[in-house]
């Protein structure tokens, strides 16, 4: 098994979403019935798992600052830069959690829909 870096895994996830974007275009093979949408939406795992990664990135950046391994190329105070990073990641975590909740609601809304000949 090849071990990938976090950046490589992020790139792979982005490519997977790109592939999903192409596969879900109208009139694509394998994406024709309401059940196809139900199956895709029924897998909100990416949105559910993203908050953990975002939190761990915030912890990583904070640890680097605490250990004295960071500097800023801007004139702003380093603490302000790190605070902006961690605040942005907290908001992104909240958004990812909300996305997962919304996807669960959409999944429930899709459940009664069926193909009609």
């Amino acid at each position: 098994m090849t071990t990938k870096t976090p950046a490589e895994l992020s790139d792979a996830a982005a490519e997977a979403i790109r592939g999903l974007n192409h596969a879900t275009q109208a009139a694509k093979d394998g994406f024709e019935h309401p059940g196809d949408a139900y199956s895709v939406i029924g897998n909100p795992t990416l949105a559910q798992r993203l908050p953990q990664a975002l939190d761990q990135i915030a912890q990583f950046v904070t640890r680097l600052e605490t250990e004295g391994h960071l500097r800023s190329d801007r004139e702003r105070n380093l603490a302000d830069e790190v605070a902006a990073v961690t605040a942005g990641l907290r908001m992104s975590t909240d958004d990812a959690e909300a996305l997962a909740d919304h996807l669960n609601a959409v999944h429930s809304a899709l459940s009664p829909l069926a193909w009609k000949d």
Side-chain angles (χ1 to χ4, degrees):
M1 181 171 123
T2 304
T3 302
K4 293 184 178 184
T5 67
E8 290 169 333
L9 291 167
S10 176
D11 289 344
E15 281 302 306
I17 296 299
R18 180 179 170 275
L20 179 62
N21 289 342
H22 288 283
T24 55
Q25 291 173 346
K28 290 284 185 170
D29 289 335
F31 198 68
E32 302 174 54
H33 300 98
D36 300 331
Y38 180 83
S39 295
V40 172
I41 297 300
N43 188 4
T45 308
L46 177 65
Q48 292 169 339
R49 291 180 179 170
L50 195 54
Q52 179 180 351
L54 298 173
D55 183 55
Q56 290 170 175
I57 293 167
Q59 290 175 28
F60 170 72
V61 171
T62 301
R63 181 176 51 83
L64 290 179
E65 179 196 24
T66 301
E67 293 174 354
H69 297 299
L70 290 182
R71 67 177 183 80
S72 175
D73 292 337
R74 295 184 187 170
E75 294 181 18
R76 287 178 62 181
N77 179 320
L78 178 62
D80 291 341
E81 296 282 0
V82 172
V85 168
T86 56
L89 288 168
R90 262 193 314 275
M91 287 186 286
S92 297
T93 296
D94 292 345
D95 291 344
E97 289 170 348
L99 174 61
D101 290 343
H102 293 304
L103 290 173
N104 283 329
V106 170
H107 188 247
S108 292
L110 279 167
S111 67
L113 301 181
W115 178 261
K116 178 181 175 186
D117 285 321

